Amino acid sequence: MECVYNFSLKELQKKLILKGFSRYSAKQIFAWIYKERVQDFSLMTNIAKDKREELTKMFYFLNFKTLKKEKSKDGTQKYLFQLVDQEAIEAVLIPEKQRNTLCLSTQVGCKFNCKFCASKTGGFIRNLEVSEIVNQYLQLSQKDKITNIVFMGIGEPFDNFKNVVKSIEILTEPAGLNFTNKRISISTCGLSDKIKKIAELELGVKLSISLHAVLDEKRNKIMPVNKIYPLADLVKAIKYYNQRQKFPVTFEYILLADFNIGGQDAKRLAKLVKTTRAKLNLIPYNPTGATLRPPEFAKIDNFKKILKKENIIFTLRKERGSDINAACGQLRSVSLGGSKN
């Protein structure tokens, strides 16, 4: 048996047609699963009874066990989900006045070892299946209306490229959940080849780049991925993305004390933003147990002044969920997964 959440509409149609289903009935089944959120094939009343029985033999529905739910003083909610193999992932729901943003994980652990991020804790275990990515949305959207999705949880989304793309296809399929493409954002540490590939697919989703330094020698120290995909290659990929997509990329820039917050850092960052079609998010470092430290307010203020002088529009991201280790870079800092908890 296979999990039905692993199949896009086209894949489900192809599989069911081979079993004697019509293309139209396959679309009806897809609608039952995602529009009606039905997890029992016997309840799909416009499907012939013998076909419903056959579906029950072919597919199963996935439901995570919630090991832990925490709620921050600012309303942010963090969920620790147990997977079938006893590993675990975290997803975060961030409520705001006009929207509810869901932060999804794409891997169990992460292999890229960014020094400011706790996702690497316990090492890389495996990629999430499509069903495991989609099910984070399905379970958390039952209670709260999700308006935005960000692939910024545990793992590097582009290291699980095929499954992330298919999960987006399922989430945005008009016959099912019909989630708006432009309200989905993927964050990457800078896999240049995959940035070009996502641009060519023209999924209509937004892209965030974890930048954090504008010199190779600095970026190498906190992001080993830069040794494989140096800044020159990254910038070239971003410009290619700019040509193919209508949305600007967003640069995420974590502010680290005594590292990337000097005057020259600000000027180099401003130059990069000007030479690409990009937005800029500044993120004060959220402690993850590393030796890194957040900068003093005065240093942040000076950094902002230089950017303003260079006519750079930016956002200083508001800290959300840090008291429950749910802020940027903090996922997996406490919970290593499954039976290890």
Side-chain angles (χ1 to χ4, degrees):
M1 289 179 70
E2 299 173 281
C3 180
V4 73
Y5 296 143
N6 276 323
F7 296 89
S8 66
L9 175 58
K10 289 182 180 179
E11 289 174 332
L12 187 64
Q13 287 176 325
K14 185 177 180 179
K15 192 172 185 69
L16 291 180
I17 286 170
L18 292 174
K19 292 289 185 178
F21 290 75
S22 69
R23 183 175 297 275
Y24 179 69
S25 64
K27 192 171 184 178
Q28 288 178 307
I29 293 163
F30 194 87
W32 275 109
I33 293 168
Y34 292 106
K35 281 188 181 293
E36 305 300 329
R37 306 291 185 94
V38 168
Q39 291 192 323
D40 184 343
F41 292 114
S42 68
L43 299 178
M44 299 180 181
T45 51
N46 57 356
I47 307 299
K49 186 178 179 181
D50 62 322
K51 296 298 184 184
R52 283 182 266 164
E53 291 173 353
E54 192 166 356
L55 288 169
T56 302
K57 296 174 184 176
M58 292 174 64
F59 302 110
Y60 68 90
F61 291 92
L62 175 69
N63 283 299
F64 293 141
K65 177 182 178 182
T66 302
L67 294 175
K68 192 175 184 180
K69 175 186 174 182
E70 296 179 87
K71 188 171 183 178
S72 167
K73 59 188 178 184
D74 62 29
T76 299
Q77 300 169 42
K78 183 174 75 169
Y79 293 80
L80 178 66
F81 291 127
Q82 187 175 61
L83 307 179
V84 175
D85 59 2
Q86 305 305 304
E87 293 296 339
I89 55 170
E90 290 170 309
V92 178
L93 182 63
I94 308 167
E96 297 176 80
K97 288 182 179 180
Q98 302 297 323
R99 63 184 184 179
N100 285 324
T101 300
L102 177 59
C103 180
L104 298 176
S105 290
T106 56
Q107 297 179 308
V108 183
C110 184
K111 64 181 73 165
F112 290 90
N113 201 32
C114 296
K115 302 307 179 187
F116 49 81
C117 182
S119 288
K120 62 183 180 293
T121 304
F124 172 75
I125 307 299
R126 66 174 176 86
N127 286 330
L128 293 186
E129 295 181 5
V130 174
S131 57
E132 293 171 321
I133 298 172
V134 171
N135 199 49
Q136 293 173 68
Y137 173 87
L138 292 176
Q139 290 199 205
L140 294 185
S141 62
Q142 289 178 5
K143 297 179 180 179
D144 298 278
K145 178 177 173 58
I146 307 299
T147 62
N148 296 74
I149 295 173
V150 292
F151 287 84
M152 296 183 184
I154 298 168
E156 163 55 54
F158 282 168
D159 193 42
N160 189 11
F161 190 87
K162 184 178 178 181
N163 288 351
V164 167
V165 168
K166 194 196 289 190
S167 71
I168 291 171
E169 291 173 353
I170 292 171
L171 289 165
T172 58
E173 170 57 53
L177 295 168
N178 198 26
F179 201 90
T180 306
N181 304 60
K182 65 182 181 181
R183 291 185 176 273
I184 297 176
S185 181
I186 307 174
S187 178
T188 176
C189 63
L191 279 60
S192 304
D193 55 341
K194 298 298 172 37
I195 292 173
K196 292 179 180 178
K197 200 170 180 179
I198 203 76
E200 291 166 354
L201 289 176
E202 298 185 350
L203 291 177
V205 299
K206 296 178 181 178
L207 181 65
S208 293
I209 310 292
S210 292
L211 186 63
H212 316 313
V214 197
L215 283 177
D216 281 320
E217 60 190 68
K218 280 196 172 187
R219 203 163 184 261
N220 288 345
K221 290 179 181 178
I222 58 170
M223 300 182 73
V225 69
N226 194 72
K227 297 173 185 177
I228 304 170
Y229 300 100
L231 282 166
D233 291 346
L234 178 57
V235 171
K236 191 181 296 183
I238 290 167
K239 289 182 177 180
Y240 181 77
Y241 181 90
N242 285 157
Q243 293 170 3
R244 300 293 295 259
Q245 297 293 303
K246 62 181 179 179
F247 299 118
V249 301
T250 298
F251 287 127
E252 309 282 357
Y253 193 92
I254 291 178
L255 302 171
L256 298 164
D258 303 321
F259 183 75
N260 65 351
I261 198 168
Q264 288 302 312
D265 295 304
K267 290 177 181 178
R268 291 189 190 100
L269 179 58
K271 183 178 179 181
L272 178 56
V273 172
K274 288 176 182 178
T275 57
T276 55
R277 189 156 52 90
K279 296 180 179 179
L280 176 61
N281 277 347
L282 302 179
I283 309 169
Y285 172 65
N286 297 300
T288 60
T291 55
L292 304 171
R293 295 179 295 106
E296 299 172 357
F297 177 79
K299 295 287 181 69
I300 295 176
D301 194 48
N302 187 60
F303 195 85
K304 288 163 55 181
K305 286 178 180 177
I306 296 172
L307 291 176
K308 287 178 181 177
K309 188 176 180 180
E310 295 286 339
N311 296 314
I312 300 298
I313 297 173
F314 60 87
T315 300
L316 182 64
R317 185 183 291 178
K318 185 179 179 182
E319 180 186 274
R320 299 296 301 270
S322 62
D323 55 319
I324 57 169
N325 292 300
C328 182
Q330 291 185 323
L331 294 188
R332 204 168 165 83
S333 59
V334 177
S335 302
L336 296 182
S339 59
K340 305 179 189 71
N341 286 282

